[in-house]
Amino acid sequence: MSGNGEGRCCDLCFGKCCRFIITSGFAALFLWLALRTSKPTCSIQEFYVPILNKTDHSTITRNNHSIFFDLKLDNEMKEKGVHYDNISLTFFYGPNTSLPIANYTVPGFYQGHGKKARQKLVVEAHGLPWEAAFNNVSNGPMSIFRVGLSTKVRFRIVVWYTKRRNLVVGANVEVNESGKKVIKKGIKLKSGSPECGCRLGLSLFSIVLVALL
């Protein structure tokens, strides 16, 4: 009789342990799903360099060294807001990214969950070989610019904020003889480094999987 009692006790303890492990595993999984974050998507929707428009021969256009651009910031998270520090934009001409031709700073702001923000701006370019750039779009296929973006972001989860995370992205923008970017749709600014959130997610998922097994 005592043996049967001990067996039932062991079975009961084993069942409770299994339920605890499974419950803890699912709790960890749901917690990760609730706390995981993804960085905003940054893109250049419009890009126009008037002086490279070879069909406009007016004096104003020929002396216009401005770059008009439309920056889009998309927070695709449905339950978390994003706070941006000041956003630094750097413009380059050609492959040489050591000599910027223009800089612009967008003041920091808060973006709600699932929201999109557009910044239609203009910046004055300096030190750009305009004659060579004009010849490229007139006689060649295009001129190439590069846009770099850097800032720090914090994610708002319910009523508190996460630590600041670096957001450094960039992309080449090809400009044709109309002075506009060649690609009609928005150009996504991309990072050269992998997202740390993905590695964290895989680690947490592995822990949950081991717990369930």
Side-chain angles (χ1 to χ4, degrees), residues 34 36-40 73-84 109-117 154-161:
R36 69 173 180 170
T37 57
S38 60
K39 292 181 179 179
L73 303 170
D74 188 359
N75 175 17
E76 298 178 346
M77 296 182 295
K78 301 302 182 183
E79 299 176 350
K80 303 173 185 69
V82 180
H83 184 276
Y84 300 84
F109 66 96
Y110 174 78
Q111 184 178 40
H113 52 82
K115 299 296 184 180
K116 298 177 176 61
R154 291 179 293 159
F155 302 101
R156 182 178 180 180
I157 303 176
V158 189
V159 296
W160 53 274
Y161 284 92

Side-chain angles (χ1 to χ4, degrees), residues 11-210:
D11 291 340
L12 182 61
C13 291
F14 179 76
K16 288 183 177 180
C17 288
C18 287
R19 286 194 295 272
F20 174 76
I21 292 174
I22 293 174
T23 302
S24 299
F26 277 112
L29 178 60
F30 291 142
L31 180 62
W32 172 67
L33 291 174
L35 296 180
R36 69 173 180 170
T37 57
S38 60
K39 292 181 179 179
T41 299
C42 311
S43 61
I44 298 294
Q45 297 296 311
E46 301 292 340
F47 195 91
Y48 178 53
V49 187
I51 196 174
L52 299 185
N53 183 358
K54 74 174 190 177
T55 61
D56 189 343
H57 302 287
S58 66
T59 303
I60 295 177
T61 299
R62 295 275 66 84
N63 293 319
N64 190 343
H65 295 170
S66 300
I67 298 175
F68 295 81
F69 63 98
D70 180 4
L71 173 67
K72 181 182 179 183
L73 303 170
D74 188 359
N75 175 17
E76 298 178 346
M77 296 182 295
K78 301 302 182 183
E79 299 176 350
K80 303 173 185 69
V82 180
H83 184 276
Y84 300 84
D85 285 359
N86 287 348
I87 301 172
S88 298
L89 295 166
T90 308
F91 298 81
F92 306 90
Y93 175 71
N96 187 359
T97 57
S98 62
L99 296 174
I101 60 171
N103 295 281
Y104 194 95
T105 299
V106 178
F109 66 96
Y110 174 78
Q111 184 178 40
H113 52 82
K115 299 296 184 180
K116 298 177 176 61
R118 300 286 286 267
Q119 300 281 345
K120 296 184 178 182
L121 305 165
V122 59
V123 64
E124 188 78 7
H126 300 279
L128 194 154
W130 291 112
E131 184 176 353
F134 186 79
N135 289 334
N136 282 341
V137 298
S138 299
N139 305 320
M142 66 196 73
S143 283
I144 299 177
F145 292 79
R146 182 166 182 82
V147 181
L149 180 152
S150 64
T151 185
K152 292 181 183 292
V153 294
R154 291 179 293 159
F155 302 101
R156 182 178 180 180
I157 303 176
V158 189
V159 296
W160 53 274
Y161 284 92
T162 64
K163 293 182 178 180
R164 285 179 170 83
R165 299 183 187 177
N166 289 325
L167 177 60
V168 181
V169 292
N172 291 338
V173 180
E174 299 172 342
V175 175
N176 58 22
E177 60 187 13
S178 68
K180 298 180 180 180
K181 64 184 180 68
V182 175
I183 300 176
K184 299 300 181 183
K185 63 181 182 179
I187 299 175
K188 183 178 179 180
L189 305 182
K190 299 180 180 180
S191 172
S193 59
E195 292 285 347
C196 61
C198 295
R199 295 195 298 269
L200 177 61
L202 289 174
S203 299
L204 289 174
F205 181 77
S206 299
I207 294 173
V208 172
L209 184 61
V210 170

